[in-house]
Amino acid sequence: MMEEPKGRPVGGTEYSWCRAVPGGTGIAVLAILTSKTLEALKLQNAINKLQKLHPVLRSKLHSNPSKNSFSFITSSTPYVQIKSFNLSSTRKILESLNPPTKNLPISPLQSLLEHELNQNVWWCSNDNNENDMFLASMYSLPNEKWVVVLRLHVSACDRTTAVSLLRELQELVGEAEEEKEERGGKVVNEINLGIEDLIPSGKVKKSLWTRGIDMLSYSMNSFRSTNLKFIDVNSPRCSQVVRIQMNKDETERIISGCKSRGIKLCGALAAAGVMAAQSTKCSQSDRKYAVVTFTDCRSILEPPLSAHHFGFYHSAIMNTHIIRGGEQLWELAKKMYMAFANSKKSNRHFSDMADLNFLMCKAIENPGLTSSSSLRTSLMSVFEDTVVDDCNEKHQELVGLEDYIGCASVHGLGPSMALFDTLRGGRLDCVCVYPSPLHSREQMQGMVDCMKSILVNSVTESGE
Ligand SMILES: *[C@@H]1O[C@H](CO)[C@@H](O)[C@H](O)[C@H]1NC(C)=O
């Protein structure tokens, strides 16, 4: 029997998340609406199994304030205790949350998601400076419905992890439902290495000169680019979400619009976001917008990792774009996508990783580096690849899955809009997380409505 890994110090990217999360950026939440009588015990068993399969889920984040360092300490046994909220305590929580604006009703699923995005156990260090990486709650709603919420520290959970986590949880709950044999899942030693230790050799080193220029352009670009209008820069911030949902027909046409131009959906989403932002500006002068694209590096690491290897293995590429007004969606989408693709071709996702992490930590220490101390470093962030939920309907029915939303908080340092897009049963479902009250719900609903109409009009006008 191999000895379980006991833990390790965090890597560079994980370290910057450890610095960001106390401020409110990097709390990953997966909120699931289910309609089936889900016994807490069954869910607890499934979560225990997940923790057995993935050491990072049963790790604690240990911080050493005097040394400003962090490490993962892996516990040998599962520890997550689901917090259960009955009908009346759930109702109390829902009532205590910001009342939604009249014209913008918010579902209980979304309200509870927002509530959890703003629960930060990593905010202050407790007695032994140790905090769980993984927390679970279950809220009861009227009419035999439940919202199950999984909350994780982003250093242990990127979007790929969240997607795999949902799938594995569904399988485990479904299996319990079918009373099958226990799945002999393979335990991965995933706690072992951070992304920096898995970058193919020769892809990181930059000459000191290039490094200096890049750092300079990064800081200039990111901290001096155009922002959305700030509504309230002084009040404490929390994360809120608005959703863009499209029907099958609209989705199909947008996807084929991307395919015919050889670009990915992230290019079209980013272009629509920039155009929507530009449309809110009164003057038509040139503006510079920063867009961050997250790319999952698992498949190009050495050794390559699978989607079932949990942790944070994404890297970010930041590009800035000058907008003059009057751009056409597809022209701009192609330009923006190619800027990202060319950056990736020249390995910037690896070579710039340390610089971006360094800048992120600098800005956290000195909010004044960002305009109005807003801590906004870009207009928006997108993911290179859309999550495709192939809807194993049998399983979803089995576990009573009705709807889910997965995203991460951004009210510390981050973009004004963080997009998390999913193709679900052929329909585009895109969650946009923003910092409130720096931006208001009305403002952001207006932004995503505008993005949607830009996207939809671009495929009807051109007869696509
Ligand atoms: C619901 O939970 C609250 C808090 O845990 C408890 O005080 C209350 O008695 C519970 N109500 C019911 C109906 O079980």
Side-chain angles (χ1 to χ4, degrees), residues 191-243:
I191 189 76
N192 273 344
L193 293 168
I195 189 170
E196 287 79 5
D197 293 322
L198 298 165
I199 296 175
S201 55
K203 302 230 160 138
V204 182
K205 285 214 182 89
K206 267 202 263 186
S207 71
L208 208 59
W209 174 243
T210 329
R211 197 182 147 85
I213 297 275
D214 281 357
M215 279 290 279
L216 196 65
S217 63
Y218 256 143
S219 42
M220 303 283 266
N221 281 342
S222 56
F223 298 145
R224 290 192 194 165
S225 58
T226 312
N227 291 295
L228 289 182
K229 187 182 171 208
F230 298 143
I231 307 292
D232 176 350
V233 292
N234 298 316
S235 306
R237 291 176 199 145
C238 64
S239 285
Q240 291 185 340
V241 306
V242 285
R243 233 168 152 178

Side-chain angles (χ1 to χ4, degrees), residues 2-268:
M2 275 232 309
E3 187 68 2
E4 282 276 345
K6 293 283 186 295
R8 61 163 171 84
V10 299
T13 300
E14 291 157 350
Y15 176 80
S16 34
W17 286 118
C18 291
R19 296 294 309 280
V21 169
T25 288
I27 301 165
V29 174
L30 189 57
I32 307 155
L33 178 68
T34 101
S35 63
K36 198 161 176 116
T37 314
L38 187 63
E39 290 158 39
L41 184 65
K42 206 179 282 168
L43 183 66
Q44 181 74 60
N45 284 339
I47 284 177
N48 288 353
K49 274 186 214 162
L50 275 177
Q51 283 196 295
K52 277 192 195 133
L53 292 173
H54 301 284
V56 75
L57 295 183
R58 62 184 138 84
S59 296
K60 289 173 191 262
L61 183 65
H62 179 87
S63 53
N64 184 336
S66 62
K67 289 192 190 146
N68 222 343
S69 67
F70 301 89
S71 29
F72 297 131
I73 308 286
T74 310
S75 124
S76 53
T77 49
Y79 61 76
V80 165
Q81 278 301 317
I82 300 169
K83 249 190 178 171
S84 277
F85 297 90
N86 60 26
L87 268 175
S88 62
S89 43
T90 304
R91 193 176 55 233
K92 263 193 203 126
I93 291 170
L94 287 172
E95 282 166 2
S96 72
L97 300 173
N98 288 341
T101 345
K102 230 193 201 160
N103 305 323
L104 302 170
I106 297 168
S107 69
L109 173 69
Q110 187 175 331
S111 292
L112 291 168
L113 169 86
E114 290 183 357
H115 172 63
E116 290 264 352
L117 282 172
N118 298 301
Q119 301 292 308
N120 196 346
V121 290
W122 302 286
W123 167 251
C124 51
S125 35
N126 50 22
D127 291 343
N128 50 6
N129 294 318
E130 229 172 59
N131 277 302
D132 297 351
M133 301 293 282
F134 179 30
L135 300 118
S137 310
M138 198 169 162
Y139 297 90
S140 314
L141 296 178
N143 305 318
E144 300 281 287
K145 294 194 193 232
W146 287 265
V147 173
V148 173
V149 182
L150 308 180
R151 177 155 41 100
L152 296 105
H153 192 287
V154 160
S155 67
C157 179
D158 58 10
R159 195 171 62 147
T160 305
T161 301
V163 171
S164 296
L165 187 62
L166 176 65
R167 287 185 186 152
E168 291 184 20
L169 182 73
Q170 263 175 263
E171 273 175 31
L172 289 168
V173 172
E175 273 174 8
E177 208 51 58
E178 288 171 327
E179 291 184 34
K180 262 198 194 163
E181 298 264 297
E182 236 181 70
R183 193 174 66 136
K186 202 165 160 241
V187 178
V188 222
N189 282 349
E190 60 204 6
I191 189 76
N192 273 344
L193 293 168
I195 189 170
E196 287 79 5
D197 293 322
L198 298 165
I199 296 175
S201 55
K203 302 230 160 138
V204 182
K205 285 214 182 89
K206 267 202 263 186
S207 71
L208 208 59
W209 174 243
T210 329
R211 197 182 147 85
I213 297 275
D214 281 357
M215 279 290 279
L216 196 65
S217 63
Y218 256 143
S219 42
M220 303 283 266
N221 281 342
S222 56
F223 298 145
R224 290 192 194 165
S225 58
T226 312
N227 291 295
L228 289 182
K229 187 182 171 208
F230 298 143
I231 307 292
D232 176 350
V233 292
N234 298 316
S235 306
R237 291 176 199 145
C238 64
S239 285
Q240 291 185 340
V241 306
V242 285
R243 233 168 152 178
I244 313 175
Q245 290 174 303
M246 294 198 193
N247 65 30
K248 245 183 178 152
D249 179 52
E250 292 164 339
T251 306
E252 259 163 33
R253 281 190 287 171
I254 291 163
I255 299 291
S256 72
C258 291
K259 278 210 180 111
S260 69
R261 288 165 182 91
I263 67 170
K264 293 187 179 179
L265 182 62
C266 64

Side-chain angles (χ1 to χ4, degrees), residues 362-376 413:
K362 276 286 154 240
I364 291 168
E365 285 160 24
N366 311 287
L369 287 175
T370 59
S371 82
S372 311
S373 296
S374 59
L375 287 171
R376 292 312 103 190
L413 181 83

